[in-house]
Each structure stands twice: as C-alpha cells, then as structure tokens.
Amino acid sequence: MDDPTTSNVERWISMALRIGVWSSAALMIAGLLAVWVSGSASLPPSENLSPRALLRMLFSSSVDGVTLIFSGLVVLMLTPFLRVLTAAIGFLAERDLKFAFVSLAVLSMLLGELFFFLR
Amino acid sequence: MTLTSLLLLLLAGIVTGTIGAMLGLGGGVFLVPFLALAFGLPMHQAIATSILAIIATSSAGGAMNVERRIVNLRLGMTLETTTVIGAILGGVTANLLGGDVLTKIFAGLLLLVSFMMIWRIRQRGMEEPTHQDGVLAATYRDDSTGTIVSYSVRRVPAVMLVSLVAGNISGLLGVGGGIFKVPSMNIIGGIPMKAATATSNFMIGVTAAASAFIYFAHGHINPLIVAPAALGVLSGSFLGVLLGRKIKSHVLTWVFAIVLLIISIQMFLR
C-alpha cells in the first residue's frame, strides 16, 4: 500500500498552528527579555489582571515587556480559533460540506463563548 | 515578582513538561500541583497557567502530527463539538468553586491518574485490533514498524460522550485528560493507540482554548507567571519526547505514579 499523502487542508492547518505557536513564543520571549533587560518585573497588581485592564494595555501607546508577553498570550489563546477557521476553509475548498459545517459549528461555539465571557 | 521567580517558573515548566512528555501525560498533571504547592499560587491561577501551556504544546505537536497524517482530522473535528461543550461547562464550574474544593478534586484526579499509569503498564501490548467496518476511515504510516495502518472508527457517539467528560475534566482542572481519553478511544472506538494519542493531543488545544477565556475573564491569567511556565512546558515537551525515545523504563512510570500518589495526599491534607 502507498504512503498516505498529506492533503491541502492538513498542510494549511499545520501551517496555521506553526504560525500561531511560534509567533506567540517569539512575542513572549521578546517580552521576557525586555523585562530582564529593564531589570524589573513589575507585574500589574492582581486587581489589574481583569481582562479590560490587560486588553487596555495592548492598545496603549507605550510597548513594554509585559505588553509584549500579554500580546503573545493573546496570540496563543487565539491559535486554536485560527486552526478551526482554517479547517472550515480547507474543508470548503475540498467541497467536504459536512466537515466544513462541523468546523463552523465548533468555531461558532468558541466565538459565542468568547463574546459571552468578555462582553 | 523577582527575576529569580521568572527563571524558577521557566525551570518548573521545563521539568514538568519533560516528565509529562516522557510519561505520555501532558505537563498539567505535574505543573498544577507544582505551582500550587511549591509557588503557593492560588489554585485557579495554577489551572489557568496549565491551560495556556496545554494550548502551546498541543499546537506545536499538532502541527507535526497533522502533516504526518497520524491525526484523524475528521474524527478530531467531530469530537471537538462535545469536548468544547465539556470544557466550557468545566471552566464555568471551576470559577464557581473555591480554591480549596478545586484542590481536593485535583487530588482525587491525581489518585486516579497514578492508578491509570500502573494499569497502562499492564495493558501495554494488549491494544485493541483495528476494524474496517466503522466510519471516519483513515490511514497513516507507523514509523516504528514501517507499516501502513488503515482503520475506521466504531461507536462514534460513545467516543463523543467520553470526549465530553474529558473536556469537562480539562476545563475544570487544567489537564489534558488524554490518560482517560486515549485508552477509551482505543477500547470503545477501535482507534489505534498512535492515532488516538495524536488525535487527542490535537483536539486538546481547542478544548483548552474554550476554557482559557473563562479563566481570563475571571482575572486568573497572570502574564508574568503564564509566559515563563508555558515556554518552559513547550521546550520541556520537546526534550521529553527526545529523552522518551532513549529511556523506555517501566520503573520510571512506577516512580512517578508513586510521586503523584504522594502529591495527591499532600493536596488532600493542604
């Protein structure tokens, strides 16, 4: 029997996962190095761990180590979303409507939950 | 937080990630108690940290296993429909419970995991045969034997139910749940162990992401704790896979099963 060959959807999913995890790791490493170079690791106080406070940090004009680290964490948390979206697009491209629908159902649950808890 | 603490967290991630990968468990089973007992981190923060580390290791491993076609993509997507529901319910439940209650539940989980580890040693080589009369058929190349393995999946609804429970455990306690899910996928669904392990690991990233935002919304994600621990677990998981190929000792599994038993007792008494 011949070796199974990798399909387009598998290649795209693999690429989406690699992009997500390695860009997130790069941001976190850069952030940790920035914290190390600045010599202080002043954490946002625990009351500032609220999603609003952390998300505000992302859109502030100054970029420091903690902001870079947090950006990396956001990219990491969104990587599975990207992977499911890629699967939906891949299955659609392969005209596999059943699994495109399954992927979209999973994505809808994830997005619904995301907006419900962060609203 | 001091720079020494950052380095210690990185080291904790590397050690727990390495041990987890060597034993075929995720890092969470070791990382959560380590953060809670050694670093005195509140239980919810320890679980949230582990969930983020799981996303990192699942994504990195998934990228490789999808390309090598060991992951049954269609099965994974099907099971994610129930595992995501389980994880959301688990995440919501965890945030309604106090840290003390979660610690006791986690101690119970560790007790079960240590028994499962010993059971798995006895089950080795007793894998369920593959079937061709099911659905979601897939084929992959087994590099260890050089053969092409074809199989199909039986009793999909029952496997979906197992995934719902595994997702719930994951969202509640910040572990992958593969130690329960993989043998069930093999015994109930007739999925070869390699495909079951790869598919389970691939799915767990989405499961963990489902509960991650619940912990985030409740303010349990501390960037300076999560980042070094997650990076440590990620690098430890690669190291563990490399070491695991060289060290194949039942003794190691026995030693860590006993270690988990001791940690479980410590958490009960905490």
Side-chain angles (χ1 to χ4, degrees):
Chain A
M1 196 185 290
D2 289 338
D3 270 13
T5 50
T6 310
S7 65
N8 279 338
V9 63
E10 285 164 328
R11 261 191 293 273
W12 294 348
I13 287 176
S14 179
M15 195 184 293
L17 287 170
R18 275 183 227 275
I19 290 170
V21 77
W22 296 121
S23 56
S24 135
L27 283 165
M28 287 194 277
I29 291 168
L32 285 171
L33 285 174
V35 165
W36 184 54
V37 168
S38 71
S40 74
S42 58
L43 241 198
S46 57
E47 65 269 23
N48 285 349
L49 289 178
S50 72
R52 274 179 215 287
L54 287 171
L55 288 171
R56 211 177 298 126
M57 206 165 65
L58 273 191
F59 298 105
S60 68
S61 52
S62 66
V63 177
D64 60 4
V66 180
T67 312
L68 281 173
I69 291 171
F70 182 61
S71 314
L73 293 179
V74 171
V75 172
L76 184 63
M77 286 193 281
L78 291 177
T79 298
F81 287 65
L82 176 68
R83 193 265 270 170
V84 179
L85 176 68
T86 310
I89 296 168
F91 285 128
L92 271 177
E94 286 187 355
R95 299 192 190 285
D96 187 340
L97 296 182
K98 185 177 161 190
F99 282 95
F101 176 76
V102 170
S103 308
L104 286 173
V106 173
L107 187 63
S108 311
M109 282 194 271
L110 289 173
L111 288 174
E113 177 242 354
L114 174 72
F115 290 117
F116 179 80
F117 285 101
L118 294 185
R119 75 189 188 280
Chain B
M1 168 153 309
T2 61
L3 292 175
T4 317
S5 306
L6 287 180
L7 287 174
L8 282 173
L9 281 164
L10 183 73
L11 196 65
I14 294 173
V15 172
T16 55
T18 307
I19 297 169
M22 278 172 77
L23 298 174
L25 305 165
V29 164
F30 292 96
L31 184 66
V32 174
F34 199 88
L35 292 175
L37 296 176
F39 282 86
L41 217 61
M43 197 60 183
H44 289 95
Q45 273 195 31
I47 291 173
T49 304
S50 172
I51 284 173
L52 270 283
I54 287 171
I55 300 179
T57 51
S58 162
S59 302
M64 274 190 295
N65 287 330
V66 167
E67 215 162 51
R68 290 168 65 204
R69 302 209 81 215
I70 306 174
V71 171
N72 185 332
L73 198 56
R74 285 170 174 80
L75 172 68
M77 294 307 306
T78 306
L79 299 183
E80 274 169 8
T81 55
T82 52
T83 200
V84 163
I85 296 170
I88 294 172
L89 293 176
V92 171
T93 312
N95 283 285
L96 292 174
L97 298 173
D100 285 351
V101 180
L102 275 182
T103 306
K104 299 284 182 283
I105 300 175
F106 200 95
L109 173 85
L110 290 187
L111 200 67
L112 265 176
V113 170
S114 59
F115 287 129
M116 283 292 289
M117 285 168 75
I118 295 162
W119 176 79
R120 221 164 47 168
I121 297 174
R122 295 175 171 276
Q123 291 297 114
R124 223 163 262 178
M126 294 169 71
E127 192 172 322
E128 281 291 300
T130 56
H131 307 279
Q132 308 299 332
D133 56 348
V135 292
L136 302 168
T139 304
Y140 69 93
R141 183 187 173 82
D142 187 337
D143 286 338
S144 61
T145 57
T147 54
I148 305 292
V149 182
S150 290
Y151 66 96
S152 65
V153 186
R154 285 177 160 187
R155 305 183 194 98
V156 174
V159 183
M160 286 174 81
L161 193 66
V162 170
S163 295
L164 179 84
V165 177
N168 195 249
I169 295 172
S170 171
L172 184 72
L173 300 171
V175 295
I179 192 148
F180 305 111
K181 198 165 50 180
V182 173
S184 310
M185 286 167 82
N186 176 244
I187 294 165
I188 301 170
I191 305 156
M193 285 300 267
K194 272 197 179 161
T197 306
T199 307
S200 166
N201 287 345
F202 170 75
M203 284 161 56
I204 192 65
V206 166
T207 314
S211 55
F213 280 99
I214 302 174
Y215 286 89
F216 176 56
H218 284 85
H220 296 309
I221 289 186
N222 187 329
L224 281 182
I225 289 172
V226 176
L231 286 171
V233 172
L234 183 61
S235 38
S237 66
F238 288 113
L239 192 62
V241 169
L242 287 178
L243 287 174
R245 282 181 194 152
K246 295 190 173 141
I247 309 164
K248 283 192 195 288
S249 166
H250 290 180
V251 178
L252 197 73
T253 312
W254 271 103
V255 168
F256 281 105
I258 293 164
V259 169
L260 282 185
L261 205 65
I262 294 166
I263 298 172
S264 166
I265 294 166
Q266 273 192 319
M267 291 184 94
F268 264 123
L269 298 175
R270 197 183 175 207

